[in-house]
Amino acid sequence: MIEKIVEKSLNDKELSEKEIKDLFKVPVFSKQSSLLLWAARKKSAQVSNGFAEVHAQIGLNITPCPQNCLFCSFAARNKVFTDSFELSIDDAVFQARQFEAEKANAIYLMTTANYSFEKFIETSKEIRRALKRDTVLVANIGDFTLVQAQELKHVGFSGIYHAVRLGENHDTCILVEKRLETMRNAQEAGLLVGTCVEPVGIEHSIDELVEKTIITRDIKPVYSGAARRILIPGTKLAKYDIVSESKMALILAIVRLSLSSTVKGNCTHEPNVVGACAGANLLWAEVGSNPRDIIKDTEKKRGMSVQDCISILKEAEWSVLDGPSQLYATSL
Ligand code: SF4
């Protein structure tokens, strides 16, 4: 049965909800799981012509966020950060140039959900001006309106990263519909959307993994994938063990197989070799603030560098794209 579903996916036929559920029931380290890892890697390499990408994110600010996502170190109720901090425009520009020099395929600007949109636009304009014309910029911010999406496009963003997270509206104060509306606004404004099944915890049911996988498929993103939740000490969700990289590799492989070949990217976070072997062709480097970290400069703790990500992809036998992201390829 699993063989038939794999064949269907490799022939680029849409999998049913039940078929995706059957894939999620496959145990890790089984004969069938090996088949899923093989097939996902094959599909991933085929659709991306064998190239993987490294995107690099600059976290612009830290402030207690009222959206209170339980998995995020910025959530006010998690009390990890009680003070606010903002990267200066000069430092943000310096870091963006640095990422460009290190050959990141795309540069993301990330803020907490309650960061001023006007300030974000102001900073983004400066960064856009400082970068080469074909350097790809991606916004990773809170929910926004259609008019704001048009403004992001006008400033020179190619796309956004956004997701309906696991536990949305249960572990967060945001409605699923709000997240979906933001992605529709972005697409209507001509921005491409990257997304992911995240943050995966051991308590999430197969039904929820299936539901979120299908949501990422319905969005028609440029990439999906899977990322695990990082344990933030002292918070409510810290009682759960972290999902192993081996299990995550299987999950991201299933997400890859559940999406059509028009979706070229399959991401995982945090970067790891086993995930890249299983078909993840997009990894992230990070500097500045990071919702999975407990210090303000993540490059000193959890955040990996562009070179770290390139090395991981090479260990997994990927060729790394040299040049602007093909996932977010669009005419500016
Ligand atoms: S994930 Fe985003 S919306 Fe949620 S608490 Fe963190 S910054 Fe706020």
Side-chain angles (χ1 to χ4, degrees):
M1 182 179 64
I2 295 299
E3 287 77 3
K4 283 220 165 73
I5 301 172
V6 166
E7 200 183 318
K8 191 174 171 187
S9 168
L10 292 180
N11 288 328
D12 216 18
K13 302 264 185 341
E14 185 167 298
L15 302 188
S16 67
E17 187 177 335
K18 182 184 176 308
E19 287 168 330
I20 297 173
K21 193 167 178 173
D22 286 340
L23 295 184
F24 275 115
K25 286 181 186 163
V26 170
V28 72
F29 297 126
S30 59
K31 216 172 179 179
Q32 290 179 324
S33 75
S34 302
L35 175 69
L36 297 184
L37 301 185
W38 166 80
R41 172 61 185 250
K42 181 181 165 82
K43 188 166 181 175
S44 214
Q46 268 174 359
V47 300
S48 62
N49 296 318
F51 285 100
E53 300 191 10
V54 175
H55 295 184
Q57 174 160 284
I58 306 169
L60 294 177
N61 83 306
I62 290 172
T63 195
C65 178
Q67 300 294 1
N68 272 324
C69 307
L70 281 176
F71 43 79
C72 174
S73 59
F74 306 143
R77 62 179 160 182
N78 280 339
K79 297 186 174 65
V80 176
F81 296 106
T82 44
D83 296 326
S84 298
F85 168 81
E86 277 181 29
L87 209 60
S88 71
I89 293 185
D90 285 351
D91 285 347
V93 166
F94 174 83
Q95 191 52 64
R97 281 194 167 134
Q98 186 72 25
F99 276 153
E100 191 178 61
E102 291 168 7
K103 293 181 174 285
N105 305 109
I107 297 172
Y108 291 41
L109 304 180
M110 192 264 308
T111 68
T112 58
N114 55 346
Y115 191 72
S116 151
F117 185 78
E118 290 67 35
K119 188 95 192 283
F120 181 72
I121 291 294
E122 191 190 325
T123 305
S124 303
K125 278 182 182 164
E126 292 297 326
I127 291 174
R128 180 73 272 174
R129 259 196 288 273
L131 298 175
K132 295 178 195 153
R133 194 178 178 280
D134 63 355
T135 295
V136 171
L137 264 189
V138 178
N140 181 4
I141 58 176
D143 291 291
F144 50 77
T145 64
L146 175 58
V147 171
Q148 289 173 324
Q150 288 160 342
E151 224 174 318
L152 292 171
K153 178 73 181 169
H154 185 68
V155 166
F157 283 98
S158 299
I160 63 162
Y161 173 80
H162 216 68
V164 175
R165 285 82 49 90
L166 286 140
E168 198 74 80
N169 198 225
H170 175 266
D171 294 340
T172 77
C173 297
I174 309 176
L175 294 174
V176 168
E177 180 49 32
K178 186 86 192 153
R179 306 293 289 173
L180 292 171
E181 187 184 64
T182 294
M183 291 186 258
R184 287 195 295 269
N185 288 339
Q187 287 172 325
E188 198 176 330
L191 295 162
L192 297 170
V193 175
T195 191
C196 183
V197 176
E198 57 110 341
V200 181
I202 55 163
E203 78 281 15
H204 293 127
S205 65
I206 287 181
D207 283 345
E208 188 167 8
L209 291 171
V210 172
E211 182 210 4
K212 295 301 186 294
T213 300
I214 292 175
I215 285 178
T216 72
R217 183 171 74 184
D218 290 348
I219 289 163
K220 302 198 185 336
V222 293
Y223 61 81
S224 182
R228 65 180 178 175
R229 186 177 66 233
I230 300 299
L231 191 154
I232 301 171
T235 62
K236 195 175 164 194
L237 296 179
K239 64 182 177 200
Y240 296 112
D241 268 348
I242 193 164
V243 181
S244 68
E245 289 182 352
S246 305
K247 177 79 181 168
M248 284 309 303
L250 184 56
I251 293 173
L252 72 89
I254 294 165
V255 174
R256 173 59 280 176
L257 292 169
S258 303
L259 270 68
S260 84
S261 61
T262 56
V263 180
K264 309 290 181 201
N266 190 48
C267 64
T268 198
H269 201 60
E270 294 169 333
N272 65 92
V273 177
V274 65
C277 289
N281 61 356
L282 169 58
L283 302 179
W284 282 280
E286 295 171 287
V287 298
S289 60
N290 172 356
R292 280 162 277 89
D293 214 336
I294 54 170
I295 63 167
K296 76 178 175 60
D297 304 312
T298 194
E299 62 274 23
K300 294 180 186 152
K301 197 170 169 78
R302 299 206 74 87
M304 290 200 190
S305 67
V306 173
Q307 191 50 55
D308 291 336
C309 295
I310 291 174
S311 301
I312 287 172
L313 290 169
K314 287 189 171 166
E315 291 289 355
E317 300 263 341
W318 280 103
S319 300
V320 181
L321 181 74
D322 185 8
S325 170
Q326 288 306 298
L327 300 176
Y328 279 108
T330 177
S331 50
L332 287 176

